[in-house]
Amino acid sequence: MLFELGQSEQILNDVFEHRQFRGLQSTVIRAIAAGRHSLVIMPTGMGKSLCYQIPAIAIARSNNPGCENALTLVLSPLVALMKDQVDALRQKGVDATFVNSSLTRPERNHRYDSIASGCYAILYVTPERFRKPDFLDVIQKRAVKLLAVDEAHCISEWGHDFRPDYTRVGLIREMLGFPVTIALTATATPDVQIDIVRQLGLSQSEVELYHQGIDRPNLVLDVVQVWDDDAKLERITAIRRSQSGSGIVYFTLIKSLMQFSDLLTQQGVDHLIYHGELERERRKRLQDQFMNGSGDLVLATNAFGMGIDKEDIRFVLHAELPGTLESYYQEIGRAGRDGFPADCLLMYDERDLATQMEFLRWSNPDAGYYRRVFDLLTSDLEQVNAFGLEWLRERLHHKQKYDRRLETALSILKRWEVISGSLDPLNIELISELPNPLNDPIQTQTKLQRDQQKLYTLLQYVKHNGDRKQFINDYFGV
C-alpha cells in the first residue's frame, strides 16, 4: 500500500473541510493506495483534483518504506490555472508548487533548488517541461510515487485538444521509474479512452476505468429551435428574470456577443461580457467579479471556462451552436455545482450551423496549406516578422482577408515546435522541419472528417427526442 486508507478520510476532513467523498472519489483513491493505475472520467465540478491531491498528501505523510523524499507530479496543459491551483492548496497548508514559463529564471532556479532538496508534496508542470535538461536533472533527485495526468484527452490524437508533447507521457513515465499513474479528464469517447491508455504505455488490463457519466440529476437539459435573434433575446431575458442566481450565456462569435450585450443594455439587464480579445488584466477582473458576485449574468465565448468553479450558477445558455458535444458538455458542467436545480438550454438556429462549418474549415488547414506557410516562413522570415500577420495573409489568401486558417496554422506550428517566439505581434524563429502529420494529406483530411463527425453528432443531439443525458452517456461510452 502506498498509504493507509484511513489517512485519506482524515485529509478530506482536516485539509479540504469536506465531510464525505463525492461520487467515485473514494473508489479511485483506494485504487491509488493499492498501487493500481486509473483513468478517471468525471464531470466538471465533481472534484477530479481531489482524486490525486488527497493521495499526494497521504504519500508525503506516509512512513511506508520507499516514501522518503516522495513527490506527486501533476502534468497539466493549463499554465493559466497552475498558480490558482497551487495558491488554493497552499492556503490549506499543502506544500505545493509549480514550474512553468511564467517564472523568471531566478524564480525557476530557486524552485529547482527547493525541489531537489526535498521540498513540496505536489509539483505541477506542463509535459513540455521534460524537454528541459535542467528540469530532468532536478526531478531525478526525487522519488515520484504518483503521476497525475490532468486534461488527459490532450494525450489522444482523437481528442478535441491534442497536445503533441502529451504523446511523450509514456517516455516520461519511464524517466520517472514507472510510478502509479492516474489520468483524468471530463470528456473522453471510447476511442479516446483507448488511445489515452496506449499513450501512457500501459495495456487496458493494467488500468482501472472510472467513468461517472452525467451523474448530475439537478441539471435540466433542453434544446429549443429559434428562428431569429429576437427569439434568442426573449429566451435570455425570460430566464434572467425567472432566476435569482448567476448565469452564463455562451456565444461562438464575439460580434454576436457584443450585439446581444447592446440589446440587453437597452432593456436594462445588467451583465458582464468576457471574451478572448479583452486585455488579460481586464479578463481577470471580470472573472473575479463574477466569482464573487451573488447574481451576475455574463455573456461569454468559450474563453470563459478555466477556473470557473462557482457553486450557484443557476443557468447556462448557449445562444449559438457549440462546435462539439465535448465542449457543450464541459460548459454545462459549470451549472448547479451546489446540487440545486439548474437549467441548461441550447438555442438552435440553423444559421449558426454555417458558422460552425466555416470554423471547421479555418481550424483544419490541409497539408498543402501548411506547406505553403512553411515555405513562406523559410524563404521570407525576415519580411514576415517585419510586416506582420496581414502581410503574410495577403500572400496566402490574396483577397480572402477574413480567412482565419493562418492563425490556426501558426498556432499548430508552434505547438509542434516548428516555430518559436511571439505570434502577437509576429516575432518568430523557424526551429525545425514540418512534421509528417501536418505534411500528410491523408492525416489532415482524416482530422477534418473527425471534426465534421463531431459536429454531426452535436446536430443529432439537437434533434434527439429522448433522454438527452442518456444520449451524452452513450456518446462517451458510459
Side-chain angles (χ1 to χ4, degrees):
M1 298 286 285
L2 277 177
F3 54 88
E4 299 300 324
L5 284 173
Q7 288 181 271
S8 62
E9 293 185 4
Q10 185 177 353
I11 293 167
L12 178 74
N13 296 332
D14 297 346
V15 177
F16 294 98
E17 299 180 342
H18 296 312
R19 295 177 60 187
Q20 59 186 15
F21 287 107
R22 298 172 65 186
L24 295 171
Q25 286 174 333
S26 62
T27 306
V28 174
I29 290 170
R30 282 198 298 272
I32 292 173
R36 298 196 299 272
H37 308 298
S38 306
L39 171 57
V40 177
I41 305 170
M42 192 178 288
T44 301
M46 292 300 289
K48 289 189 296 297
S49 298
L50 288 188
C51 292
Y52 64 81
Q53 289 173 348
I54 288 177
I57 298 166
I59 291 169
R61 293 179 178 181
S62 175
N63 293 319
N64 290 351
C67 284
E68 306 86 359
N69 204 30
L71 177 69
T72 291
L73 189 68
V74 183
L75 295 183
S76 171
L78 305 176
V79 170
L81 268 189
M82 285 184 187
K83 185 178 186 301
D84 292 343
Q85 291 170 322
V86 167
D87 286 348
L89 287 169
R90 294 187 72 85
Q91 286 175 6
K92 297 178 184 298
V94 180
D95 194 14
T97 194
F98 64 86
V99 176
N100 62 36
S101 57
S102 71
L103 300 177
T104 63
R105 177 171 293 183
E107 289 173 332
R108 186 171 64 249
N109 289 338
H110 177 70
R111 292 198 190 179
Y112 281 169
D113 290 341
S114 298
I115 294 165
S117 65
C119 296
Y120 311 122
I122 307 176
L123 171 62
Y124 287 80
V125 298
T126 65
E128 288 82 0
R129 184 59 42 184
F130 278 82
R131 292 184 178 272
K132 310 294 184 181
D134 51 356
F135 176 74
L136 293 178
D137 290 341
V138 168
I139 204 65
Q140 295 297 330
K141 297 175 182 177
R142 296 296 296 273
V144 176
K145 293 296 181 180
L146 176 62
L147 174 65
V149 183
D150 205 4
E151 305 295 338
H153 58 271
C154 295
I155 292 178
S156 172
E157 292 191 56
W158 296 90
H160 59 281
D161 194 19
F162 173 59
R163 290 274 289 259
D165 266 84
Y166 262 63
T167 64
R168 302 178 69 243
V169 173
L171 178 59
I172 289 170
R173 290 187 65 249
E174 182 178 356
M175 292 178 187
L176 299 174
F178 301 105
V180 175
T181 301
I182 176 173
L184 311 99
T185 181
T187 57
T189 62
D191 284 339
V192 172
Q193 294 168 31
I194 293 169
D195 206 18
I196 288 171
V197 173
R198 180 181 64 82
Q199 297 279 23
L200 290 173
L202 295 166
S203 66
Q204 295 294 321
S205 62
E206 292 177 287
V207 179
E208 306 262 359
L209 173 63
Y210 300 99
H211 201 322
Q212 194 150 313
I214 302 291
D215 189 19
R216 301 283 300 281
N218 61 312
L219 298 188
V220 179
L221 309 189
D222 198 7
V223 176
V224 61
Q225 185 159 13
V226 294
W227 303 102
D228 54 34
D229 290 344
D230 288 342
K232 291 182 179 181
L233 182 64
E234 184 179 343
R235 291 278 180 174
I236 295 170
T237 55
I239 199 166
R240 170 73 280 183
R241 294 190 188 103
S242 66
Q243 296 283 6
S244 58
S246 302
I248 306 172
V249 184
Y250 278 108
F251 293 84
T252 299
L253 300 172
I254 296 175
K255 179 179 69 174
S256 302
L257 186 158
M258 298 307 298
Q259 174 189 339
F260 275 84
S261 176
D262 291 342
L263 293 171
L264 289 172
T265 298
Q266 292 170 15
Q267 295 199 10
V269 178
D270 292 334
H271 62 278
L272 308 173
I273 60 171
Y274 188 106
H275 56 77
E277 291 186 2
L278 295 176
E279 188 267 333
R280 183 173 181 177
E281 284 302 314
R282 186 180 176 193
R283 294 202 307 269
K284 183 68 166 62
R285 289 196 302 271
L286 289 166
Q287 181 169 320
D288 289 344
Q289 184 177 343
F290 178 77
M291 293 296 293
N292 296 322
S294 59
D296 286 319
L297 170 67
V298 61
L299 311 187
T301 63
N302 61 6
F304 190 67
M306 291 192 302
I308 305 303
D309 190 12
K310 185 176 173 65
E311 289 193 341
D312 67 339
I313 296 176
R314 297 272 65 84
F315 59 93
V316 172
L317 308 185
H318 283 81
E320 294 180 304
L321 191 71
T324 66
L325 202 58
E326 285 90 343
S327 59
Y328 171 73
Y329 173 56
Q330 288 192 326
E331 287 158 6
I332 64 173
R334 297 178 182 117
R337 294 187 180 182
D338 54 9
F340 292 103
D343 292 319
C344 303
L345 176 66
L346 192 163
M347 292 178 271
Y348 174 60
D349 184 337
E350 288 186 352
R351 296 174 302 171
D352 298 336
L353 179 58
T355 299
Q356 286 298 342
M357 292 177 69
E358 186 75 350
F359 277 7
L360 280 181
R361 190 175 75 87
W362 289 349
S363 61
N364 285 280
D366 60 27
Y369 188 86
Y370 279 114
R371 171 54 64 184
R372 292 199 303 277
V373 173
F374 182 80
D375 288 346
L376 273 169
L377 295 180
T378 301
S379 61
D380 297 321
L381 186 59
E382 186 175 343
Q383 291 94 321
V384 169
N385 285 328
F387 300 122
L389 193 67
E390 293 308 317
W391 181 89
L392 181 56
R393 195 194 313 279
E394 285 179 9
R395 275 142 191 82
L396 290 162
H397 305 150
H398 304 292
K399 297 181 180 180
Q400 301 175 36
K401 64 179 182 178
Y402 296 110
D403 192 315
R404 290 294 179 265
R405 284 177 295 168
L406 178 58
E407 284 84 348
T408 298
L410 291 174
S411 177
I412 296 298
L413 289 174
K414 188 171 184 181
R415 186 179 291 184
W416 279 95
E417 296 190 323
V418 175
I419 60 174
S420 64
S422 170
L423 299 183
D424 185 20
L426 274 187
N427 185 19
I428 58 180
E429 180 183 355
L430 197 62
I431 56 177
S432 72
E433 292 296 314
L434 195 64
N436 188 60
L438 305 183
N439 199 28
D440 183 342
I442 295 176
Q443 291 198 48
T444 54
Q445 180 64 22
T446 298
K447 182 182 180 301
L448 173 61
Q449 290 172 347
R450 286 204 308 264
D451 289 353
Q452 289 171 333
Q453 180 60 48
K454 286 179 182 292
L455 181 58
Y456 176 67
T457 300
L458 186 65
L459 288 176
Q460 289 179 304
Y461 173 81
V462 166
K463 304 292 185 181
H464 188 63
N465 293 319
D467 186 335
R468 296 193 181 278
K469 292 182 182 179
Q470 189 58 51
F471 184 100
I472 295 174
N473 281 338
D474 290 343
Y475 176 71
F476 289 115
V478 180

